[in-house]
Amino acid sequence: KAGVTQTPRYLIKTRGQQVTLSCSPISGHRSVSWYQQTPGQGLQFLFEYFSETQRNKGNFPGRFSGRQFSNSRSEMNVSTLELGDSALYLCASSGGQSLDGYTFGSGTRLTVV
Amino acid sequence: AQSVTQLDSQVPVFEEAPVELRCNYSSSVSVYLFWYVQYPNQGLQLLLKYLSGSTLVESINGFEAEFNKSQTSFHLRKPSVHISDTAEYFCAVNSGGYQKVTFGTGTKLQVIP
């Protein structure tokens, strides 16, 4: 079956702009989690959506937001981009239970200039 | 609260030598433990997981990890590494229910020919 698809793979934006990243989970998976990965901070949890509802949220400012659609596809949005937002953004899907483990997408590499 | 500590940021090892990547966790409740591997320019892949039962879990490519509750550890081992094992390895913990997964900061395994 198809894996987790993230689009786009690479993105270059200017400070102050906004960006929307997309994630299509594995068919049948209802949970989508987003992580920010940077060399200094490792993987930082952004939020998790399950059946269109935000179930968990990390410690990121309100500029970071997300949503999930009825087909389980998810988007995350970052407004008013800052240089420090440059990172690899990873989407992970699961069946929704703790013991499932995640299936990750290849990520979107965002560069803010 | 749950946390994961990977003390070694980089581990160089010669090909065909054994390796151990260390992981210690902290949680006030019972846990599920995971190891993920990330190859360059890719997302993370689930390597193995401990949910319950036997404390020794194995992956299909020769890695194994042992859950040690008294030492709150979940170290990853391989008796003989190959060049293709060069990657970054992440330990992760989940406290069950609908809690988020917390990742360690990763250990880069460099296999030297």
Side-chain angles (χ1 to χ4, degrees):
Chain A
K1 55 184 175 181
V4 178
T5 303
Q6 289 190 248
T7 57
R9 284 297 309 275
Y10 302 92
L11 209 49
I12 300 176
K13 289 288 188 179
T14 305
R15 273 182 302 174
Q17 287 187 311
Q18 72 153 13
V19 67
T20 299
L21 312 182
S22 178
C23 172
S24 294
I26 287 177
S27 178
H29 280 189
R30 295 163 65 190
S31 169
V32 173
S33 298
W34 289 89
Y35 285 82
Q36 181 195 66
Q37 185 180 20
T38 57
Q41 300 293 320
L43 279 88
Q44 301 292 311
F45 175 76
L46 282 155
F47 29 66
E48 182 212 0
Y49 287 87
F50 181 82
S51 293
E52 302 179 65
T53 300
Q54 188 179 83
R55 192 160 69 172
N56 280 301
K57 189 178 187 301
N59 297 321
F60 278 79
R63 300 186 297 108
F64 292 82
S65 63
R67 59 177 175 170
Q68 187 179 35
F69 302 95
S70 58
N71 62 358
S72 292
R73 188 177 73 85
S74 177
E75 289 182 347
M76 68 163 281
N77 184 77
V78 188
S79 62
T80 319
L81 284 166
E82 300 176 359
L83 295 179
D85 297 333
S86 294
L88 180 66
Y89 290 87
L90 291 166
C91 164
S93 81
S94 76
Q97 299 295 321
S98 301
L99 50 76
D100 291 342
Y102 286 152
T103 300
F104 280 86
S106 297
T108 294
R109 184 162 298 281
L110 171 65
T111 302
V112 182
V113 298
Chain B
Q2 59 192 28
S3 65
V4 178
T5 301
Q6 292 182 252
L7 288 173
D8 304 308
S9 59
Q10 294 190 44
V11 173
V13 61
F14 286 103
E15 194 174 14
E16 298 184 3
V19 69
E20 178 180 85
L21 307 183
R22 297 180 293 168
C23 171
N24 288 89
Y25 69 92
S26 173
S27 175
S28 57
V29 297
S30 58
V31 296
Y32 301 133
L33 294 159
F34 306 84
W35 275 99
Y36 287 83
V37 58
Q38 185 178 32
Y39 299 101
N41 299 315
Q42 295 186 26
L44 282 71
Q45 301 173 30
L46 180 63
L47 191 59
L48 47 76
K49 62 183 177 182
Y50 170 78
L51 304 179
S52 64
S54 173
T55 58
L56 186 66
V57 290
E58 300 176 352
S59 71
I60 59 173
N61 57 355
F63 281 95
E64 64 179 29
E66 186 162 18
F67 170 61
N68 188 318
K69 188 174 182 179
S70 62
Q71 297 188 4
T72 59
S73 67
F74 191 54
H75 301 330
L76 182 69
R77 303 184 184 95
K78 189 170 185 179
S80 176
V81 296
H82 189 266
I83 291 290
S84 60
D85 294 325
T86 295
E88 190 160 16
Y89 293 79
F90 293 88
C91 182
V93 63
N94 182 294
S95 298
Y98 302 129
Q99 296 300 310
K100 67 179 183 181
V101 176
T102 300
F103 286 84
T105 51
T107 298
K108 290 184 178 177
L109 174 62
Q110 182 187 5
V111 180
I112 304 165

PDB file of all heavy atoms in Angstrom, chain A residues 41-60:
ATOM      1  N   GLN A  41      17.772  20.749  17.909  1.00  0.00           N
ATOM      2  CA  GLN A  41      16.646  20.400  18.797  1.00  0.00           C
ATOM      3  C   GLN A  41      16.100  18.992  18.582  1.00  0.00           C
ATOM      4  O   GLN A  41      15.265  18.537  19.357  1.00  0.00           O
ATOM      5  CB  GLN A  41      15.503  21.398  18.607  1.00  0.00           C
ATOM      6  CG  GLN A  41      15.871  22.837  18.914  1.00  0.00           C
ATOM      7  CD  GLN A  41      16.173  23.039  20.376  1.00  0.00           C
ATOM      8  OE1 GLN A  41      15.507  22.484  21.236  1.00  0.00           O
ATOM      9  NE2 GLN A  41      17.208  23.808  20.661  1.00  0.00           N
ATOM     10  N   GLY A  42      16.541  18.299  17.554  1.00  0.00           N
ATOM     11  CA  GLY A  42      15.996  16.976  17.300  1.00  0.00           C
ATOM     12  C   GLY A  42      14.559  17.077  16.805  1.00  0.00           C
ATOM     13  O   GLY A  42      14.190  18.025  16.131  1.00  0.00           O
ATOM     14  N   LEU A  43      13.736  16.087  17.162  1.00  0.00           N
ATOM     15  CA  LEU A  43      12.338  16.083  16.748  1.00  0.00           C
ATOM     16  C   LEU A  43      11.477  16.720  17.833  1.00  0.00           C
ATOM     17  O   LEU A  43      11.423  16.233  18.960  1.00  0.00           O
ATOM     18  CB  LEU A  43      11.842  14.662  16.491  1.00  0.00           C
ATOM     19  CG  LEU A  43      12.190  14.053  15.149  1.00  0.00           C
ATOM     20  CD1 LEU A  43      13.535  13.360  15.215  1.00  0.00           C
ATOM     21  CD2 LEU A  43      11.122  13.077  14.698  1.00  0.00           C
ATOM     22  N   GLN A  44      10.809  17.780  17.464  1.00  0.00           N
ATOM     23  CA  GLN A  44       9.916  18.473  18.383  1.00  0.00           C
ATOM     24  C   GLN A  44       8.476  18.274  17.912  1.00  0.00           C
ATOM     25  O   GLN A  44       8.149  18.545  16.760  1.00  0.00           O
ATOM     26  CB  GLN A  44      10.245  19.966  18.431  1.00  0.00           C
ATOM     27  CG  GLN A  44      11.672  20.267  18.880  1.00  0.00           C
ATOM     28  CD  GLN A  44      11.896  19.920  20.327  1.00  0.00           C
ATOM     29  OE1 GLN A  44      11.124  20.297  21.201  1.00  0.00           O
ATOM     30  NE2 GLN A  44      12.962  19.187  20.596  1.00  0.00           N
ATOM     31  N   PHE A  45       7.624  17.856  18.830  1.00  0.00           N
ATOM     32  CA  PHE A  45       6.232  17.556  18.509  1.00  0.00           C
ATOM     33  C   PHE A  45       5.448  18.844  18.306  1.00  0.00           C
ATOM     34  O   PHE A  45       5.483  19.754  19.141  1.00  0.00           O
ATOM     35  CB  PHE A  45       5.626  16.745  19.652  1.00  0.00           C
ATOM     36  CG  PHE A  45       4.160  16.473  19.518  1.00  0.00           C
ATOM     37  CD1 PHE A  45       3.689  15.521  18.636  1.00  0.00           C
ATOM     38  CD2 PHE A  45       3.246  17.167  20.300  1.00  0.00           C
ATOM     39  CE1 PHE A  45       2.338  15.257  18.515  1.00  0.00           C
ATOM     40  CE2 PHE A  45       1.890  16.913  20.196  1.00  0.00           C
ATOM     41  CZ  PHE A  45       1.440  15.962  19.307  1.00  0.00           C
ATOM     42  N   LEU A  46       4.746  18.918  17.193  1.00  0.00           N
ATOM     43  CA  LEU A  46       3.909  20.083  16.898  1.00  0.00           C
ATOM     44  C   LEU A  46       2.470  19.835  17.319  1.00  0.00           C
ATOM     45  O   LEU A  46       1.937  20.532  18.166  1.00  0.00           O
ATOM     46  CB  LEU A  46       3.971  20.403  15.406  1.00  0.00           C
ATOM     47  CG  LEU A  46       5.235  21.132  14.947  1.00  0.00           C
ATOM     48  CD1 LEU A  46       5.507  20.861  13.471  1.00  0.00           C
ATOM     49  CD2 LEU A  46       5.094  22.625  15.179  1.00  0.00           C
ATOM     50  N   PHE A  47       1.819  18.890  16.680  1.00  0.00           N
ATOM     51  CA  PHE A  47       0.446  18.529  17.038  1.00  0.00           C
ATOM     52  C   PHE A  47       0.056  17.214  16.403  1.00  0.00           C
ATOM     53  O   PHE A  47       0.739  16.705  15.515  1.00  0.00           O
ATOM     54  CB  PHE A  47      -0.571  19.618  16.654  1.00  0.00           C
ATOM     55  CG  PHE A  47      -0.188  20.460  15.471  1.00  0.00           C
ATOM     56  CD1 PHE A  47      -0.083  19.916  14.198  1.00  0.00           C
ATOM     57  CD2 PHE A  47       0.069  21.808  15.638  1.00  0.00           C
ATOM     58  CE1 PHE A  47       0.276  20.700  13.122  1.00  0.00           C
ATOM     59  CE2 PHE A  47       0.415  22.607  14.562  1.00  0.00           C
ATOM     60  CZ  PHE A  47       0.521  22.056  13.299  1.00  0.00           C
ATOM     61  N   GLU A  48      -1.065  16.668  16.909  1.00  0.00           N
ATOM     62  CA  GLU A  48      -1.611  15.434  16.383  1.00  0.00           C
ATOM     63  C   GLU A  48      -3.091  15.640  16.112  1.00  0.00           C
ATOM     64  O   GLU A  48      -3.807  16.259  16.912  1.00  0.00           O
ATOM     65  CB  GLU A  48      -1.459  14.269  17.367  1.00  0.00           C
ATOM     66  CG  GLU A  48      -1.989  12.939  16.816  1.00  0.00           C
ATOM     67  CD  GLU A  48      -2.571  12.020  17.877  1.00  0.00           C
ATOM     68  OE1 GLU A  48      -2.569  12.390  19.061  1.00  0.00           O
ATOM     69  OE2 GLU A  48      -3.015  10.913  17.508  1.00  0.00           O
ATOM     70  N   TYR A  49      -3.533  15.124  14.977  1.00  0.00           N
ATOM     71  CA  TYR A  49      -4.944  15.147  14.640  1.00  0.00           C
ATOM     72  C   TYR A  49      -5.466  13.725  14.509  1.00  0.00           C
ATOM     73  O   TYR A  49      -4.774  12.838  13.977  1.00  0.00           O
ATOM     74  CB  TYR A  49      -5.183  15.910  13.335  1.00  0.00           C
ATOM     75  CG  TYR A  49      -5.027  17.393  13.514  1.00  0.00           C
ATOM     76  CD1 TYR A  49      -3.787  17.999  13.399  1.00  0.00           C
ATOM     77  CD2 TYR A  49      -6.118  18.186  13.851  1.00  0.00           C
ATOM     78  CE1 TYR A  49      -3.635  19.353  13.603  1.00  0.00           C
ATOM     79  CE2 TYR A  49      -5.975  19.549  14.055  1.00  0.00           C
ATOM     80  CZ  TYR A  49      -4.730  20.122  13.935  1.00  0.00           C
ATOM     81  OH  TYR A  49      -4.579  21.467  14.145  1.00  0.00           O
ATOM     82  N   PHE A  50      -6.676  13.532  14.998  1.00  0.00           N
ATOM     83  CA  PHE A  50      -7.333  12.226  14.909  1.00  0.00           C
ATOM     84  C   PHE A  50      -8.792  12.481  14.565  1.00  0.00           C
ATOM     85  O   PHE A  50      -9.488  13.203  15.291  1.00  0.00           O
ATOM     86  CB  PHE A  50      -7.217  11.465  16.227  1.00  0.00           C
ATOM     87  CG  PHE A  50      -7.851  10.106  16.207  1.00  0.00           C
ATOM     88  CD1 PHE A  50      -7.187   9.027  15.676  1.00  0.00           C
ATOM     89  CD2 PHE A  50      -9.126   9.916  16.727  1.00  0.00           C
ATOM     90  CE1 PHE A  50      -7.766   7.765  15.647  1.00  0.00           C
ATOM     91  CE2 PHE A  50      -9.719   8.661  16.706  1.00  0.00           C
ATOM     92  CZ  PHE A  50      -9.035   7.592  16.166  1.00  0.00           C
ATOM     93  N   SER A  51      -9.230  11.919  13.481  1.00  0.00           N
ATOM     94  CA  SER A  51     -10.615  12.098  13.028  1.00  0.00           C
ATOM     95  C   SER A  51     -11.012  13.567  13.033  1.00  0.00           C
ATOM     96  O   SER A  51     -12.048  13.953  13.608  1.00  0.00           O
ATOM     97  CB  SER A  51     -11.583  11.288  13.909  1.00  0.00           C
ATOM     98  OG  SER A  51     -11.373   9.916  13.719  1.00  0.00           O
ATOM     99  N   GLU A  52     -10.179  14.391  12.430  1.00  0.00           N
ATOM    100  CA  GLU A  52     -10.416  15.818  12.204  1.00  0.00           C
ATOM    101  C   GLU A  52     -10.326  16.678  13.466  1.00  0.00           C
ATOM    102  O   GLU A  52     -10.610  17.885  13.400  1.00  0.00           O
ATOM    103  CB  GLU A  52     -11.773  16.038  11.524  1.00  0.00           C
ATOM    104  CG  GLU A  52     -11.928  15.314  10.199  1.00  0.00           C
ATOM    105  CD  GLU A  52     -13.286  15.536   9.554  1.00  0.00           C
ATOM    106  OE1 GLU A  52     -13.571  16.693   9.184  1.00  0.00           O
ATOM    107  OE2 GLU A  52     -14.059  14.561   9.435  1.00  0.00           O
ATOM    108  N   THR A  53      -9.945  16.085  14.599  1.00  0.00           N
ATOM    109  CA  THR A  53      -9.855  16.831  15.853  1.00  0.00           C
ATOM    110  C   THR A  53      -8.409  16.854  16.325  1.00  0.00           C
ATOM    111  O   THR A  53      -7.719  15.839  16.267  1.00  0.00           O
ATOM    112  CB  THR A  53     -10.738  16.175  16.926  1.00  0.00           C
ATOM    113  OG1 THR A  53     -12.096  16.172  16.470  1.00  0.00           O
ATOM    114  CG2 THR A  53     -10.647  16.947  18.242  1.00  0.00           C
ATOM    115  N   GLN A  54      -7.990  18.002  16.834  1.00  0.00           N
ATOM    116  CA  GLN A  54      -6.643  18.071  17.392  1.00  0.00           C
ATOM    117  C   GLN A  54      -6.653  17.376  18.745  1.00  0.00           C
ATOM    118  O   GLN A  54      -7.325  17.814  19.686  1.00  0.00           O
ATOM    119  CB  GLN A  54      -6.206  19.537  17.551  1.00  0.00           C
ATOM    120  CG  GLN A  54      -4.741  19.674  17.952  1.00  0.00           C
ATOM    121  CD  GLN A  54      -4.312  21.131  18.092  1.00  0.00           C
ATOM    122  OE1 GLN A  54      -4.526  21.758  19.126  1.00  0.00           O
ATOM    123  NE2 GLN A  54      -3.729  21.662  17.036  1.00  0.00           N
ATOM    124  N   ARG A  55      -5.864  16.318  18.862  1.00  0.00           N
ATOM    125  CA  ARG A  55      -5.880  15.511  20.077  1.00  0.00           C
ATOM    126  C   ARG A  55      -4.730  15.861  21.015  1.00  0.00           C
ATOM    127  O   ARG A  55      -4.837  15.690  22.225  1.00  0.00           O
ATOM    128  CB  ARG A  55      -5.833  14.028  19.684  1.00  0.00           C
ATOM    129  CG  ARG A  55      -6.125  13.072  20.812  1.00  0.00           C
ATOM    130  CD  ARG A  55      -6.536  11.701  20.282  1.00  0.00           C
ATOM    131  NE  ARG A  55      -5.462  10.973  19.638  1.00  0.00           N
ATOM    132  CZ  ARG A  55      -5.574   9.696  19.244  1.00  0.00           C
ATOM    133  NH1 ARG A  55      -6.699   9.050  19.422  1.00  0.00           N
ATOM    134  NH2 ARG A  55      -4.561   9.095  18.644  1.00  0.00           N
ATOM    135  N   ASN A  56      -3.620  16.301  20.463  1.00  0.00           N
ATOM    136  CA  ASN A  56      -2.465  16.688  21.264  1.00  0.00           C
ATOM    137  C   ASN A  56      -1.801  17.894  20.623  1.00  0.00           C
ATOM    138  O   ASN A  56      -1.860  18.066  19.395  1.00  0.00           O
ATOM    139  CB  ASN A  56      -1.433  15.543  21.348  1.00  0.00           C
ATOM    140  CG  ASN A  56      -1.803  14.492  22.364  1.00  0.00           C
ATOM    141  OD1 ASN A  56      -1.963  14.777  23.543  1.00  0.00           O
ATOM    142  ND2 ASN A  56      -1.947  13.273  21.903  1.00  0.00           N
ATOM    143  N   LYS A  57      -1.152  18.680  21.445  1.00  0.00           N
ATOM    144  CA  LYS A  57      -0.495  19.881  20.940  1.00  0.00           C
ATOM    145  C   LYS A  57       0.831  20.061  21.650  1.00  0.00           C
ATOM    146  O   LYS A  57       0.918  19.869  22.866  1.00  0.00           O
ATOM    147  CB  LYS A  57      -1.389  21.106  21.166  1.00  0.00           C
ATOM    148  CG  LYS A  57      -0.898  22.368  20.486  1.00  0.00           C
ATOM    149  CD  LYS A  57      -1.890  23.513  20.726  1.00  0.00           C
ATOM    150  CE  LYS A  57      -1.498  24.747  19.893  1.00  0.00           C
ATOM    151  NZ  LYS A  57      -0.159  25.232  20.203  1.00  0.00           N
ATOM    152  N   GLY A  58       1.848  20.444  20.913  1.00  0.00           N
ATOM    153  CA  GLY A  58       3.156  20.714  21.491  1.00  0.00           C
ATOM    154  C   GLY A  58       3.284  22.156  21.916  1.00  0.00           C
ATOM    155  O   GLY A  58       2.310  22.906  21.939  1.00  0.00           O
ATOM    156  N   ASN A  59       4.508  22.555  22.239  1.00  0.00           N
ATOM    157  CA  ASN A  59       4.760  23.896  22.758  1.00  0.00           C
ATOM    158  C   ASN A  59       5.282  24.847  21.690  1.00  0.00           C
ATOM    159  O   ASN A  59       6.367  25.408  21.824  1.00  0.00           O
ATOM    160  CB  ASN A  59       5.738  23.822  23.926  1.00  0.00           C
ATOM    161  CG  ASN A  59       5.179  23.028  25.083  1.00  0.00           C
ATOM    162  OD1 ASN A  59       4.009  23.112  25.406  1.00  0.00           O
ATOM    163  ND2 ASN A  59       6.029  22.211  25.694  1.00  0.00           N
ATOM    164  N   PHE A  60       4.522  25.007  20.652  1.00  0.00           N
ATOM    165  CA  PHE A  60       4.895  25.933  19.584  1.00  0.00           C
ATOM    166  C   PHE A  60       3.963  27.137  19.613  1.00  0.00           C
ATOM    167  O   PHE A  60       2.818  27.044  20.072  1.00  0.00           O
ATOM    168  CB  PHE A  60       4.814  25.231  18.221  1.00  0.00           C
ATOM    169  CG  PHE A  60       6.028  24.404  17.899  1.00  0.00           C
ATOM    170  CD1 PHE A  60       6.202  23.147  18.443  1.00  0.00           C
ATOM    171  CD2 PHE A  60       7.009  24.897  17.041  1.00  0.00           C
ATOM    172  CE1 PHE A  60       7.335  22.391  18.158  1.00  0.00           C
ATOM    173  CE2 PHE A  60       8.133  24.149  16.735  1.00  0.00           C
ATOM    174  CZ  PHE A  60       8.296  22.896  17.301  1.00  0.00           C
TER     175      PHE A  60
END
